[in-house]
Every structure is written in C-alpha cells, then in structure tokens.
Amino acid sequence: QPINIIKPRKSNYSSKNKNPSINQLQNQLQKSEQERYQLQNDVQKLQLRLQKAHSDARNIASQNKWLEKQTSRADQILSRAVEVERKKANEEVERVRGEMKGVLERERLMMRGNSNNHNGIGGGRSMIGGGNDVELNRGPTRRVMDGVKIVRDVDDYDEDDMLDERGRPP
C-alpha cells in the first residue's frame, strides 16, 4: 500500500504571523524584564528609606536620652539655686527682722524719753537713746545703738554757738 503523506492543515497563522508572535513574546519579555528591573529599584529604594528611618529612630532615641539627662541636670541645678536663694532670702529676712527690732527698741526708748520731756525733765530738748542732752553734757557717756558704741565727751561748746545770726549752721 502506498503511504499517504499528510499535508499540514492550513492554520490561521501563516509563516508571516509566526514571526510576530515571537516578536510579541520578545516584546513582552523585554517589558517584563523592565518591570522587574523597576520593581527591584523600587525595593532597593524602599529598603534604603527603611534603613534611614531606622537610623533616624535610633538617633532620635539617643537624643531623647541625652535631653532627658540634660533636663534632669537642669532640674537639679535649678533646685539647688532655688534652695540657695531661699536660704539667702531667709537670712535677709532675719537680718531685717533684727534691724527692725533695733529700730523699734530705739523708738520705744525715744518715746520713753519724750514722755519724760513732757514732765519738764530736760527742758524740752531732744532725746538721744532714752537720755536727754542735759544728761549727756554732764560727762562722758557710752551708749550702744544697733551694735555701735556711741561715746560723747564733755565739750565746752554750746549748740547755739554753732549757728550764725540767722540760725543757720556756718
């Protein structure tokens, strides 16, 4: 028997059409490789951004710790300064209180001296430290006012001699 040779059927694609399908596949491959390259670049960029974000986070955490230490030190310094100023203020208050006690004591003594003047003692002259000028002129006297010793010796001058004819000091 003779062998029949089967002829290929005619397909929808001619020999011309077969090449474009290869060309299409090559174009698709090229596009896919470009997309893959672009995606790899995107992944690398995202990895770099993530690394930078991690680095920034570590730096910020380190700065926060440093700032917390600085704040703690500043608080300690401020507390010490407030304590020192409070101590100085208390000392100043005590000093002023002591001075005020001295002033009040002098005024009290002066008031006692003024009450003696109203009784005719001292002839209406001003009082110094609870005693009157007449008593001071009798001899050396010592008085202490605000911790200062005041000594007055007997002088032969009269206070009226210290004024000119118009009643003013020379």
Side-chain angles (χ1 to χ4, degrees):
Q1 284 190 347
I3 299 178
N4 289 331
I5 298 178
I6 301 175
K7 291 185 177 178
R9 281 194 276 157
K10 287 190 178 183
S11 67
N12 293 337
Y13 297 109
S14 65
S15 64
K16 288 182 182 177
N17 284 341
K18 287 183 182 178
N19 283 341
S21 93
I22 291 175
N23 284 339
Q24 282 179 343
L25 290 174
Q26 285 176 341
N27 285 339
Q28 280 181 339
L29 177 65
Q30 193 176 21
K31 285 181 186 178
S32 295
E33 285 182 359
Q34 286 176 347
E35 281 183 44
R36 185 180 69 127
Y37 176 75
Q38 185 65 36
L39 288 174
Q40 284 176 341
N41 282 341
D42 289 346
V43 166
Q44 286 178 349
K45 288 177 185 177
L46 289 173
Q47 285 176 339
L48 288 174
R49 286 178 59 192
L50 182 62
Q51 286 175 353
K52 186 177 182 322
H54 280 293
S55 175
D56 290 347
R58 282 191 302 272
N59 288 339
I60 289 171
S62 173
Q63 287 175 353
N64 281 343
K65 285 181 183 179
W66 182 80
L67 289 172
E68 286 173 358
K69 287 180 183 178
Q70 292 298 98
T71 302
S72 175
R73 288 180 188 151
D75 287 343
Q76 289 173 353
I77 290 170
L78 181 62
S79 294
R80 287 183 195 137
V82 166
E83 187 68 30
V84 166
E85 289 301 317
R86 187 174 289 139
K87 184 178 177 182
K88 286 180 183 179
N90 288 337
E91 289 172 355
E92 180 69 13
V93 165
E94 288 301 317
R95 185 185 65 76
V96 169
R97 183 177 289 142
E99 288 178 4
M100 289 302 296
K101 284 181 181 179
V103 167
L104 291 172
E105 182 64 25
R106 277 196 313 274
E107 287 179 358
R108 186 177 61 82
L109 291 173
M110 288 171 56
M111 292 299 289
R112 283 185 187 165
N114 283 339
S115 67
N116 289 338
N117 280 344
H118 293 294
N119 294 333
I121 301 173
R125 301 183 87 179
S126 65
M127 306 298 289
I128 297 177
N132 57 38
D133 288 337
V134 174
E135 292 174 3
L136 287 176
N137 285 330
R138 288 187 197 153
T141 46
R142 295 173 190 246
R143 301 201 190 277
V144 177
M145 297 176 84
D146 291 335
V148 177
K149 292 182 182 176
I150 300 172
V151 178
R152 181 163 180 188
D153 292 326
V154 176
D155 289 333
D156 290 334
Y157 72 90
D158 188 6
E159 287 183 14
D160 295 333
D161 292 340
M162 296 298 291
L163 303 176
D164 64 8
E165 61 274 354
R166 293 183 186 162
R168 288 185 274 163

